Amino acid sequence: MATHKIHALYADDDVLLRAVKLIKEQKYHIEEVFCPFPVHGLEKAMGIADTRLAINAFLYGLVGLSVATVMMNYIMIEDWPQNIGGKPSFSYLQNMPAFVPIMFELTVFFAAHLMVITFYLRSRLWPFKKAENPDVRTTDDHFLMEIDAYGEDIDSITKFIYDTGATEISLIDNKDDH
């Protein structure tokens, strides 16, 4: 665990992106970057792997499609078959064209709602959670990079970070507050 954290504040997203690349070249560990809006290419510059949430969305859609199929078969064919518009009510396959809109809607419904739940759980967001944002200016117009400093010469690291275009640098003692 790092003994100190360095908070470098940037005023421009292009300067931030260039600074991330330079800092990664020097093999310093960037713990987190706080931005007021998404910065295109930042995750690639930081070396963050692509997300697998699209696979989850597909699986959640399959769950919705399965629920729709089972639900419609039970309700419209087994439990209470009705003659609606002269359509036969003894076979799911013969009625399937009429069920396509319901299947589509439940597929989208399950995928969307379960993805929201997955996002909140993955992001560790829940009601009454205290914000983890170290500087309130990052919600408006500044970018903050949190860099671990492992007992190296702090002055040389901060000088290097300042040379990357940081407008403000703070040294934070790393305390285990968990």
Side-chain angles (χ1 to χ4, degrees), residues 95-111:
N95 285 312
M96 192 140 101
F99 295 156
V100 167
I102 298 167
M103 292 173 8
F104 172 77
E105 291 297 331
L106 280 179
T107 299
V108 172
F109 179 85
F110 271 72

Side-chain angles (χ1 to χ4, degrees), residues 21 36 67 75 129 164:
K21 292 175 185 176
V67 167
I75 292 172
K129 182 176 190 291
T164 64

Side-chain angles (χ1 to χ4, degrees), residues 55-122:
I55 297 168
N56 287 351
F58 178 73
L59 294 175
Y60 296 155
L62 287 179
V63 168
L65 183 63
S66 301
V67 167
T69 303
V70 169
M71 179 188 75
M72 288 181 301
N73 184 54
Y74 176 74
I75 292 172
M76 298 299 290
I77 306 301
E78 294 176 17
D79 185 41
W80 194 3
Q82 297 180 36
N83 185 355
I84 301 172
K87 293 182 176 147
S89 59
F90 55 86
S91 171
Y92 179 81
L93 291 176
Q94 288 178 328
N95 285 312
M96 192 140 101
F99 295 156
V100 167
I102 298 167
M103 292 173 8
F104 172 77
E105 291 297 331
L106 280 179
T107 299
V108 172
F109 179 85
F110 271 72
H113 285 79
L114 291 174
M115 282 302 296
V116 168
I117 292 168
T118 301
F119 169 75
Y120 284 135
L121 291 174
R122 182 73 176 100

